[in-house]
């Protein structure tokens, strides 16, 4: 049986973490693992360079202004993991990125946070236990038509892909080719983005899919991933869909 080298990290006598690494003469590629063998991306949805900068800024006695905690880089990296979890409908993995107390909400429209908005809310625990066949009403149109879909169908037809029909039957694959931080490519598609109004302490990452042509200028779609800080960690609290809504 092979051996493993283990390092335990302490600050003022308190254990704050640890790493493991196989003992071998072979050249290994990649970064360290957790004590139970998981990668940093699997645990926290962040790559090692981003974590190292944040850790150095927080704990090192030699920290300087040249090593800031780069929230933008951290959240852009987290969102790559979150979107991958959505794309594969891996709810247990997505739950690892979700706020421990606030859980996660999904919004069918850009306006979020008000008493009149129709978000679907999950606790962190409930999200991790989803099978994907559970059905919810994700929103209503102006004629009170209910958009009722299973979790997996809603995700595949209206989030990962784009549908111009309310029943989602003509859902098409799209490319989220523009990514912005705390800013939106389209200021309003008919419904105002209310994240800054109702979540002033949050940051968000937007994935934007440009229209396929000038003639089809209205066939864009945006996803906004909202994060809030909790105990020095940034967690996902909302996933918002935005489209042209005349």
């Amino acid at each position: 049986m092979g051996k493993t080298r283990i390092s335990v990290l302490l600050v003022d006598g308190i254990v704050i973490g640890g790493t493991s690494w196989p003992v071998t003469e072979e050249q290994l590629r990649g970064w360290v693992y957790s004590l139970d063998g998981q990668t940093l991306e699997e645990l926290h949805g962040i790559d090692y360079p981003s974590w190292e900068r944040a850790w150095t800024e927080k704990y090192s006695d030699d920290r300087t202004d040249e090593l800031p905690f780069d929230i933008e880089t951290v959240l852009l990296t987290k969102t790559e993991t979150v979107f991958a979890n959505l794309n594969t409908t891996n709810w247990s993995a997505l739950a690892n990125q979700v706020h421990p107390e606030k859980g996660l909400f999904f919004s069918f429209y850009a306006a979020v946070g008000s008493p009149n908005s129709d978000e679907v809310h999950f606790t962190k625990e409930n999200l991790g236990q989803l099978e994907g066949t559970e059905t919810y009403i994700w929103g209503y149109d102006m004629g009170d038509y209910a958009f009722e879909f299973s979790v997996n169908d809603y995700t595949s037809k209206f989030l990962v892909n784009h549908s111009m029909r309310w029943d989602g039957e003509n859902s098409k694959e799209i490319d989220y080719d523009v990514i912005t931080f705390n800013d939106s490519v389209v200021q309003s598609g008919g419904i105002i983005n209310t994240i800054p109004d109702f979540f002033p302490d949050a940051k968000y990452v937007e994935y934007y899919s440009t229209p396929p042509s000038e003639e089809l200028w209205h066939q864009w779609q945006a996803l906004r991933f909202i994060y809030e800080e909790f105990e020095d960690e940034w967690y996902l609290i909302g996933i918002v869909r935005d489209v042209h809504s005349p």
Side-chain angles (χ1 to χ4, degrees), residues 148-235:
E148 187 172 1
F149 300 93
S150 70
V151 179
N152 284 358
D153 279 350
Y154 173 68
T155 301
S156 63
K157 294 179 178 180
F158 292 96
L159 299 184
V160 175
N161 297 314
H162 176 73
S163 177
M164 292 297 295
R165 285 172 53 99
W166 298 124
D167 58 11
E169 291 304 315
N170 71 336
S171 182
K172 297 180 180 179
E173 184 177 350
I174 56 175
D175 178 25
Y176 287 104
D177 52 344
V178 180
I179 299 175
T180 57
F181 177 71
N182 242 25
D183 194 15
S184 297
V185 175
V186 177
Q187 296 306 311
S188 173
I191 299 178
I192 301 297
N193 172 13
T194 59
I195 295 173
D197 299 319
F198 289 96
F199 301 95
D201 297 325
K203 308 290 185 185
Y204 69 91
V205 174
E206 179 179 282
Y207 277 28
Y208 176 81
S209 174
T210 55
S213 66
E214 291 185 5
E215 293 76 15
L216 299 176
W217 59 270
H218 58 290
Q219 292 188 14
W220 56 270
Q221 180 163 298
L223 294 184
R224 299 186 184 112
F225 302 88
I226 311 173
Y227 299 87
E228 282 190 354
E229 190 176 21
F230 176 75
E231 295 183 350
D232 298 324
E233 182 87 23
W234 286 86
Y235 291 99

Side-chain angles (χ1 to χ4, degrees), residues 38 41-45 81-82 84-99 104 106 122-134 151-152 155 235-236 239:
Q38 296 187 71
E41 288 83 351
E42 290 172 330
L43 285 171
H44 299 294
T81 300
V82 168
N85 295 156
L86 281 180
N87 200 26
T88 57
T89 58
N90 189 339
W91 303 112
S92 60
L94 181 62
N96 292 332
Q97 312 299 329
V98 169
H99 198 288
L104 175 68
F106 290 83
F122 297 94
T123 66
K124 184 183 183 78
E125 181 180 7
N126 288 342
L127 184 74
Q129 295 174 348
L130 284 178
E131 295 181 359
T133 57
E134 300 87 345
V151 179
N152 284 358
T155 301
Y235 291 99
L236 183 70
I239 297 177

